[in-house]
Amino acid sequence: MAASLLHLITIILVTSLALPSSQAQSRSTKLYPNYYRRTCPRFEQIIQDTVTNKQISSPSTAAASLRLFFHDCLLNGCDASILISSTPFNTAERDADINLSLPGDAFDVVVRAKTALELACPNTVSCADILAVATRDLVTMLGGPHYNVLLGRRDGRVSRASDVDGHLPRTTDSMSRIIQLFESRGFSVQEMVALSGAHTIGFSHCKEFSSGIYNYSKTASTDPQYNPRFASGLQKACADYKKNPTLSVFNDIMTPNKFDNMYYQNIQKGLGLLKTDHGLHSDPRTRPFVDLYGKNQERFFQDFVRAMEKLSILGVKTGSKDGDIRRRCDQFN
């Protein structure tokens, strides 16, 4: 009897230890909403102050950070490996061809936040958590939806440019290729379309869509998927892009500084910049979601939130065995 009782107690104890508490997240992520509550109580306020000041002084910061976050997470998970600088012994992710156009504002806002956090609570907050929360706060600042960011990521110990090629979507990719890339990371077609709504802010360089507006074919100077007046305007705006490769155009010409569903309405009217924008509207697999989000901003926000929450825990590293808390975001410890 005593032995049976002892055995029962043992089972109960083992089971209770094996299952997460109601306050904890699943063991697969090991991330928590209030991870820094005791170790760095001003964590969220410091990031909020930093991104607010940076966005006011440089309005492109929000779009830059969102793009940086995507490029970090979609490759090897959200581990801030995109922030590492190259050395004579290693060419890092940020210097891969597709990442060379990542704007400096995004890197700068993370560095500023990291500096402030190191003063307040040294060696406590990971660069990966800073990038995730800063991105969310910047999206919200521009009118986008608030979403939850679980915390406790560690920073990765590997960053190689050679790992990047073929693993991030390019603006010239076919829709089938982009769908395949996202599906390989566990995202559905609808989630991919929702995440594409990030193009409602930011800009694209003329060279990224020049093939669609100059000498498109033997019978057409521009891609017929462009609204003709829009294409003409783009030709004028980008006339000197070969001499000045920094020339760019807002992704959303209607409300460029507001996070809303106008991006989808634009591509329905032929006002998308990129080949991938046109592909979203013309491909029968993605068009229904473009139409849905174009007429229903609330639904777009709901689906964007779910997709971003899913993206933010993709491939995260937790615990000292998996990663570090970098002293500098651009260098390994």
Side-chain angles (χ1 to χ4, degrees):
M1 180 72 176
S4 298
L5 180 60
L6 179 61
H7 181 64
L8 177 60
I9 292 174
T10 300
I11 292 175
I12 293 173
L13 285 173
V14 170
T15 303
S16 65
L17 289 172
L19 294 175
S21 71
S22 59
Q23 299 298 315
Q25 304 304 313
S26 69
R27 290 185 298 168
S28 63
T29 62
K30 299 180 183 176
L31 302 180
Y32 306 88
N34 298 313
Y35 189 82
Y36 298 110
R37 182 181 60 180
R38 295 180 179 176
T39 58
C40 194
R42 295 191 61 243
F43 162 73
E44 291 194 6
Q45 187 60 54
I46 289 173
I47 292 188
Q48 182 66 65
D49 292 344
T50 303
V51 302
T52 298
N53 292 334
K54 179 64 178 176
Q55 179 66 21
I56 290 172
S57 63
S58 183
S60 64
T61 301
S65 298
L66 194 49
R67 187 172 172 221
L68 184 69
F69 183 66
F70 282 154
H71 280 227
D72 183 47
C73 295
L74 281 176
L75 184 60
N76 293 317
C78 305
D79 65 352
S81 55
I82 191 70
L83 303 176
I84 292 294
S85 295
S86 295
T87 70
F89 310 100
N90 177 61
T91 303
E93 285 175 32
R94 68 191 293 174
D95 288 321
D97 176 62
I98 195 173
N99 288 331
L100 292 176
S101 62
L102 289 171
D105 285 330
F107 293 96
D108 183 59
V109 76
V110 175
V111 169
R112 291 188 185 196
K114 178 64 172 175
T115 301
L117 285 164
E118 283 298 301
L119 291 172
C121 32
N123 197 33
T124 301
V125 181
S126 69
C127 301
D129 276 348
I130 293 172
L131 178 56
V133 175
T135 300
R136 188 272 312 278
D137 288 355
L138 285 161
V139 166
T140 304
M141 278 185 65
L142 295 192
H146 183 278
Y147 56 90
N148 296 320
V149 177
L150 301 177
L151 302 168
R153 296 166 187 77
R154 291 285 178 133
D155 299 321
R157 297 175 178 140
V158 176
S159 180
R160 293 186 294 255
S162 58
D163 293 339
V164 176
D165 190 41
H167 292 90
L168 291 175
R170 294 182 176 273
T171 57
T172 54
D173 282 344
S174 68
M175 195 50 50
S176 291
R177 172 61 177 161
I178 291 178
I179 289 173
Q180 185 273 325
L181 280 172
F182 275 86
E183 286 183 340
S184 71
R185 305 301 281 150
F187 292 91
S188 66
V189 172
Q190 183 166 5
E191 288 169 332
M192 182 273 288
V193 178
L195 289 172
S196 298
H199 283 157
T200 189
I201 56 176
F203 58 85
S204 295
H205 291 100
C206 292
K207 64 180 180 180
E208 295 182 71
F209 53 88
S210 60
S211 61
I213 59 173
Y214 298 116
N215 304 314
Y216 177 70
S217 69
K218 293 181 179 180
T219 58
S221 61
T222 62
D223 184 341
Q225 294 187 89
Y226 282 107
N227 176 292
R229 291 180 61 188
F230 183 51
S232 177
L234 291 177
Q235 288 177 329
K236 294 175 183 176
C238 296
D240 294 325
Y241 83 94
K242 290 185 178 180
K243 295 180 181 178
N244 182 5
T246 64
L247 283 178
S248 58
V249 177
F250 285 121
N251 292 325
D252 172 4
I253 62 169
M254 298 300 183
T255 55
N257 296 312
K258 184 179 179 182
F259 196 99
D260 55 18
N261 69 333
M262 189 59 70
Y263 165 75
Y264 299 105
Q265 296 181 36
N266 287 340
I267 61 178
Q268 288 175 314
K269 301 172 183 176
L271 302 179
L273 280 185
L274 307 171
K275 176 183 176 180
T276 48
D277 297 335
H278 301 308
L280 283 174
H281 188 240
S282 61
D283 193 292
R285 294 167 292 182
T286 54
R287 182 169 183 164
F289 304 119
V290 170
D291 293 341
L292 172 63
Y293 298 148
K295 67 181 179 182
N296 190 334
Q297 178 169 283
E298 182 179 355
R299 179 61 186 273
F300 162 49
F301 279 8
Q302 290 173 352
D303 290 352
F304 181 81
V305 162
R306 283 192 287 266
M308 284 297 287
E309 289 178 345
K310 180 175 178 177
L311 177 65
S312 71
I313 62 172
L314 182 66
V316 294
K317 297 166 179 63
T318 57
S320 58
K321 289 185 178 180
D322 291 336
D324 298 317
I325 295 173
R326 289 187 210 136
R327 290 182 289 274
R328 286 184 49 162
C329 290
D330 63 344
Q331 295 179 2
F332 296 123
N333 289 346

